[in-house]
Amino acid sequence: MIIDNIYKYLDYKGITVYEISKRIGISNGYLAKTRQNRGNVGGQVLEKIVIQCPEINPAWLLTGKGEMLLKDSDTSKVEKPAAGYGKTQPTITKSKGVPYYDVDFIGGFDLVFNNQSITPSFYIDFSPFNGDTDYWVNVSGDSMKPLISHGDIVALKKFESWRDFVLYGEMYAIVTDDFRTIKTVGKGGDIDHLSLIPHNKSEEFSNQDIPKRLIRHMFKVKGSIKKFF
């Protein structure tokens, strides 16, 4: 979790919880209580941490992947440019960009989707996806590895017209009454089915047909955090 990454950074730098709390203007017990309760760190707090600790890698802070610190003391960019997007980089904000929810699409996304009053943990401002993405959420499982790996963050766009048309060969997040999954979608055995195709070629994963009638919602997978950093 993000709170664990914060503590790892503080331990590495030799910064006390009291010191960082004072620097970013939060109560001394906020971080300890969040860690104890396994809660979410607020977007405003994360933004202050990134500002007060400019050497920290925002990508690592969010996902635990990559290097903890930015390379070559370059505090204006993340570790390396996002592939295909030049020097554009994602940043954590209080309100600008696309909301990030610290939930797992496979395990808890329905709580967010069905209750629009749930407050996001923070926003991810990343211009190639702003305006064309509805959610950033976590993903678990390795069926789409290495395109998407366990622990990555995915960008989802609501796809309302899936009953009329699905572009085969594209990646979608699919919701039924019983499960949620992310797969490449292909042509099924007949017009009433779609084929769910894993990218991982291990023996434990295989293509499966799903009846269209079981699908409740579909989302286009616009990208994942590992493609950006």
Side-chain angles (χ1 to χ4, degrees), residues 129-145:
F129 289 82
N130 292 352
D132 195 36
T133 300
D134 295 310
Y135 312 95
W136 286 98
V137 295
N138 308 321
V139 66
S140 62
D142 290 322
S143 66
M144 297 304 292
K145 191 175 181 179

Side-chain angles (χ1 to χ4, degrees), residues 74-118:
D74 184 353
T75 59
S76 64
K77 302 191 292 291
V78 293
E79 185 177 346
K80 63 181 180 179
Y85 298 106
K87 295 183 178 180
T88 303
Q89 298 298 336
T91 57
I92 299 169
T93 75
K94 292 185 293 183
S95 59
K96 183 181 179 182
V98 177
Y100 163 77
Y101 296 89
D102 191 14
V103 299
D104 193 311
F105 171 76
I106 294 177
F109 176 68
D110 54 333
L111 297 177
V112 172
F113 181 71
N114 293 322
N115 185 356
Q116 299 300 310
S117 67
I118 294 179

Side-chain angles (χ1 to χ4, degrees), residues 23 33 63 125:
R23 283 166 59 179
K33 184 176 180 181
T63 69
D125 181 17

